[in-house]
Amino acid sequence: MYIYYMLLSCMRFTMNTTSNSHRHSRQNTLITVMLYLPIVLSLWLLAAHSLRFGHFFAFGVLLLSPLLLLIRQHYILRVCQVTLFSGGLFWIYTTYGMLSVRLAMGEDWQRLLVIMGGVILFTIFSSCLCMHPRVEKHYS
């Protein structure tokens, strides 16, 4: 996440120092894509997990939910944020269940904890991106 913020700040710095409007527009678009990409990927990751257990309705809703971001209403952004935060809590619950099984069977659990910890942090980070000033401005 630190690298992600550093990359955004570097783009913001180069965007402020450039005088070419075309370059400014292209960098502005790149920053916007970088803000929305984690949100979309987190929703799709939750969709893939629901498909794994055969929840086709939840899969369809989560798969198509990034299309809601095309609607410029403030409540859509809040719904997305709450969905992602709930998804982060769901990942915590899932991690607890998977760790319990691994510990009961005496199998390796450290790698599972690191991977799922990354997934949890990425999902919560995506939820926090919904509060980024550029994203908020887009929906106000």
Side-chain angles (χ1 to χ4, degrees):
M1 284 189 285
Y2 177 73
I3 295 171
Y4 187 79
Y5 277 122
M6 290 299 294
L7 190 57
L8 276 176
S9 65
C10 287
M11 280 190 233
R12 201 172 293 126
F13 175 74
T14 57
M15 187 174 64
N16 289 338
T17 59
T18 183
S19 62
N20 188 352
S21 64
H22 178 68
R23 175 178 257 179
H24 176 73
S25 172
R26 189 174 68 193
Q27 288 176 342
N28 197 12
T29 303
L30 184 60
I31 290 173
T32 304
V33 168
M34 288 187 66
L35 285 172
Y36 285 101
L37 188 62
I39 295 170
V40 172
L41 289 177
S42 292
L43 289 168
W44 284 349
L45 192 61
L46 286 165
H49 185 72
S50 65
L51 182 63
R52 182 174 181 257
F53 292 104
H55 300 144
F56 297 109
F57 179 74
F59 169 73
V61 168
L62 288 167
L63 185 69
L64 297 176
S65 61
L67 292 176
L68 287 175
L69 293 172
L70 297 174
I71 302 171
R72 288 187 170 190
Q73 296 291 327
H74 194 68
Y75 70 90
I76 294 291
L77 190 59
R78 292 298 157 238
V79 166
C80 183
Q81 184 179 14
V82 168
T83 302
L84 288 171
F85 188 77
S86 301
L89 295 177
F90 175 72
W91 284 125
I92 292 171
Y93 174 76
T94 302
T95 302
Y96 177 75
M98 294 167 79
L99 279 175
S100 297
V101 170
R102 289 277 178 109
L103 288 171
M105 297 177 80
E107 294 181 4
D108 181 34
W109 57 271
Q110 291 91 357
R111 186 176 37 178
L112 171 73
L113 185 62
V114 169
I115 292 170
M116 291 304 292
V119 171
I120 292 165
L121 289 176
F122 183 73
T123 306
I124 299 296
F125 171 71
S126 299
S127 175
C128 292
L129 279 178
C130 293
M131 295 184 297
H132 190 278
R134 186 177 293 246
V135 176
E136 293 259 337
K137 182 180 174 189
H138 184 77
Y139 287 93
S140 62

